Amino acid sequence: MSHIENSRTALILAGGWEGHQPEACAAMLRTELSKRGFEVVVKTDLGVLDDGASLQQHAVIIPLWTMGALSDAQEANLTAAIRSGVGLAGFHGGMGDAFRGRVEYQWMVGGIFAAHPDNIIPYRVEIVKPHDPVVAGIDDFDVQTEQYYMLVDPAVEVLAQTTFGARESAPWVEGSIMPVAWKKRHGAGRVFYLALGHHAEDFVNVPQQLEILLRGIGWAARLA
């Protein structure tokens, strides 16, 4: 691996569409990751991606950047860092709906946001790999948030999933089983994604999803 061995630095990229509260989510993650021994760096400018060598010094990169735009060089630097062994982890639109049209980035993430029929709704999250350390000891739980319909790489390792019920705005999705949390490899890098987390308070209201996210970040950073 080309990044510093035993690095505990988490680089958070906070920006993009304000509806997903990137600054509030970054502040929440800074606090929670610091408790778990990370040194957290928050950047609100994608210019940090112009320096490919510096990216490879982090343990994990966490994009909180719904939509937004990458240059060719920025996409190349970011994907090269992950292929070299840096971790990538994130949640909801900040990672799954970031940098639309950037195919290399989307391949690395393992899924692309497509829709959230009926917007904020109650639904059940089912743990499907209860012995995996990221979700071990966490029972199925209920949330009230956007139920993401994703286009997903069949090679991802699904840790949690949800089943779509009848949706007024898209009745044809009823019965579809959709990943909610997954992990995968991209080159030498570990990638973790959680579809939950529309607003920062979601992690307070449903502590299970915060625990899964923090464990997933730790796994991507090779600390778990």
Side-chain angles (χ1 to χ4, degrees):
M1 294 181 292
S2 61
H3 66 294
I4 294 176
E5 295 291 338
N6 302 319
S7 170
R8 297 186 72 91
T9 303
L11 171 63
I12 298 176
L13 306 174
W17 183 60
E18 291 293 333
H20 281 154
Q21 302 178 335
E23 292 184 7
C25 288
M28 177 274 295
L29 272 183
R30 184 199 287 273
T31 298
E32 296 298 332
L33 290 173
S34 296
K35 292 177 184 176
R36 301 202 178 198
F38 280 91
E39 176 186 349
V40 182
V41 177
V42 178
K43 295 292 185 179
T44 58
D45 185 333
L46 292 176
V48 68
L49 300 179
D50 292 326
D51 185 348
S54 71
L55 294 179
Q56 298 191 21
Q57 308 309 306
H58 300 291
V60 62
I61 298 172
I62 303 169
L64 304 181
W65 207 287
T66 304
M67 294 179 276
L70 291 179
S71 70
D72 291 347
Q74 288 169 340
E75 181 184 41
N77 288 339
L78 177 57
T79 56
I82 306 312
R83 288 197 309 271
S84 78
V86 178
L88 182 76
F91 62 93
H92 204 60
M95 179 165 154
D97 190 23
F99 317 127
R100 292 178 180 178
R102 284 292 172 181
V103 176
E104 290 295 319
Y105 171 83
Q106 293 168 336
W107 181 34
M108 177 174 65
V109 170
I112 308 166
F113 163 78
H116 44 70
D118 295 359
N119 300 313
I120 303 292
I121 57 169
Y123 62 92
R124 187 82 165 161
V125 174
E126 306 162 14
I127 304 299
V128 297
K129 288 221 167 175
H131 300 298
D132 189 281
V134 174
V135 293
I138 298 176
D139 295 327
D140 297 352
F141 58 95
D142 296 313
V143 296
Q144 180 147 337
T145 187
E146 292 170 337
Q147 190 177 31
Y148 264 18
Y149 198 99
M150 309 284 292
L151 308 181
V152 182
D153 181 346
V156 302
E157 182 179 355
V158 179
L159 305 177
Q161 66 185 26
T162 185
T163 301
F164 276 76
R167 294 288 168 258
E168 182 178 352
S169 64
W172 57 87
V173 304
E174 184 174 2
S176 298
I177 297 173
M178 191 62 53
V180 169
W182 68 70
K183 60 185 185 180
K184 57 166 292 195
R185 303 296 179 113
H186 193 73
R190 295 181 176 188
V191 177
F192 171 79
Y193 177 71
L194 177 69
L196 306 174
H198 181 64
H199 287 151
E201 60 265 27
D202 291 356
F203 293 97
V204 177
N205 296 337
V206 186
Q208 297 97 320
Q209 70 184 40
L210 176 60
E211 183 63 23
I212 291 171
L213 176 62
L214 295 174
R215 290 185 193 178
I217 292 170
W219 175 81
R222 301 178 186 274
L223 302 181

